[in-house]
Each structure stands twice: as C-alpha cells, then as structure tokens.
Amino acid sequence: MSAAIRVLLADDQALLRGTFRLLIDSTPDLEVVGEAGNGREAAKLSEELRPDLVLMDIRMPVLDGLEATRLIAADPALAGVKVLILTTFEQDEYVAEALRAGAGGFLGKGVDPEELLRAIRTVAGGESLLSPAATRALIARFLAQPSDTPSVTAPLDALTARELEVVTLVAAGLSNEEIAGQLFVTPLTAKTHVNRAMTKLGARDRAQVVVIAYESGLVRPGSGH
C-alpha cells in the first residue's frame, strides 16, 4: 500500500481546521501532519514537516495565504510541496492571483467533502484543478491581463512544436488522457511531453504551465484553448 498523502492545514479558524482534520484523518489514504493559524506558520511548518500538500486559506493574520504560497513556491527545497487554496473569498481575481503565486488549485469552502478529498488527491499528484469550464474562463480572463506580480518566465523557444501544442492543451485544462486523445498518442507519451515541457519552463506543476501559457501570449482568451 502506498504511503498516505500528508496534509498541512492552514486556516486561522481552529473550528474549521478541526473539521478538516476529522474529514481527512478519517480517509485511509490521507493524513493531517500539522496545523497553522497564519501564513507565516504555514510557510515555517512546510519547511519543517515537508507535507505533500498545504490546504491554504487566503485571509489569515500575520501573513496571508497568497504570500505564504509564494514563499513555499519560491523555495527549491519545497518543490514537492503542493498548495491547494480553499477559501470563502471566491472572487475571480483571487483565482488568478493564487495561480500566479504557485498554487496548484483553488476551491471555495462550500465544496462537498468528497469533492475536497478528490481535490487534495488531484493537486498532491501534480495535476491542477483547472478542468471545469468556469475555471478555464476565469484563467483566460485574468491571467491574460497584466499583473504587477512577477510571473514565472521561460523562453518558449526551448520547446519543440509538439511540446508547444501540449502546453496549449494543458492550458485548456485537459488531463493527460484527454491530451492523448487529442494527439492520438498514448497517455504515457502525453505525460512525457507534459513533463518535458514543465522541466524546460521551470514550472512546479501544471498550474504554472497554464500561467506561463497565458502570460507569455501563447494562449489568449477566445483562442479556443
């Protein structure tokens, strides 16, 4: 049996952390390894505990969740730590900002328990919560706009023609299996192309590939991707 996914909870409300802990710890393949009441603690505990995933609130004292996410994403030693933003503040701009900060996904706190557990597994596995059409629309709308926040940049000319094609499909929210269907290749081949593109772009995960695709101009709103 594979090891359980190790989760760090970051929320300033102790009652919510307790609720999430009960839910997560009751699931055989997931476990809570720590709790943080603010963003500073979340970044510190990420260094100490090296969780697989941080379930991160945005609005927290001392340091908010977006800044904490940036700290985690900027630390090469924490490259294996994924961040899933879970918040009551579901404004569109927060989605774009969370992805720019390095988050692998974004959910509202109104999600049902099973959806949250699936999201944890998805983001911890290196995928991103970008497939719903509504989320793609938000990404297209906001990541295409200029931002004062420096984004991850990398020369797209380092990519092969096939890798560029794969990046546009990742930006559309397609899974490896869906990309394989589009390109008439095996899922393993699609995964290989995605991983090579991520490496060349210096992207932590698929969410950052989407950020790069939009902010570089490779993909634009209304382009079909």
Side-chain angles (χ1 to χ4, degrees):
M1 183 177 294
S2 58
I5 295 170
R6 304 168 69 253
V7 180
L8 171 64
L9 302 176
D11 196 297
D12 62 337
Q13 298 183 50
L15 182 59
L16 273 178
R17 293 200 309 271
T19 300
F20 292 145
R21 178 181 278 274
L22 283 174
L23 172 65
I24 293 169
D25 282 345
S26 68
T27 307
D29 64 328
L30 306 174
E31 67 171 325
V32 174
V33 294
E35 297 183 24
N38 60 63
R40 185 70 65 191
E41 288 180 1
K44 183 172 182 293
L45 287 176
S46 293
E47 288 184 32
E48 295 175 0
L49 302 174
R50 303 295 171 92
D52 298 307
L53 179 136
V54 182
L55 192 59
M56 184 86 76
D57 187 24
I58 286 183
R59 292 287 184 90
M60 291 187 291
V62 184
L63 193 73
D64 68 33
L66 295 177
E67 287 301 323
T69 299
R70 288 189 185 97
L71 288 176
I72 292 168
D75 188 342
L78 301 181
V81 179
K82 309 299 182 183
V83 176
L84 172 60
I85 299 288
L86 186 67
T87 181
T88 53
F89 300 93
E90 297 183 69
Q91 292 95 330
D92 297 345
E93 57 267 29
Y94 277 132
V95 177
E97 198 60 29
L99 295 176
R100 285 193 180 103
F106 185 101
L107 284 178
K109 286 183 177 176
V111 298
D112 63 64
E114 283 305 313
E115 186 177 355
L116 174 59
L117 296 175
R118 283 195 299 270
I120 290 172
R121 295 184 186 104
T122 298
V123 175
E127 298 282 333
S128 50
L129 254 62
L130 304 171
S131 53
T135 304
R136 290 205 300 271
L138 293 176
I139 293 166
R141 179 179 173 187
F142 287 96
L143 293 188
Q145 296 175 358
S147 170
D148 294 332
T149 303
S151 61
V152 177
T153 57
L156 291 176
D157 56 14
L159 302 180
T160 65
R162 177 46 62 94
E163 287 164 354
L164 282 169
E165 189 175 9
V166 166
V167 167
T168 64
L169 295 175
V170 170
L174 272 63
S175 67
N176 289 340
E177 288 73 17
E178 291 167 335
I179 291 172
Q182 288 271 342
L183 302 181
F184 302 102
V185 298
T186 67
L188 180 59
T189 298
K191 181 179 181 181
T192 299
H193 286 311
V194 171
N195 288 343
R196 285 176 179 167
M198 285 172 56
T199 298
K200 289 181 180 180
L201 294 173
R204 284 168 54 91
D205 51 33
R206 295 168 79 97
Q208 280 200 315
V209 172
V210 175
V211 172
I212 293 168
Y214 280 103
E215 295 197 332
S216 67
L218 176 64
V219 178
R220 296 183 184 278
S223 66
H225 292 297

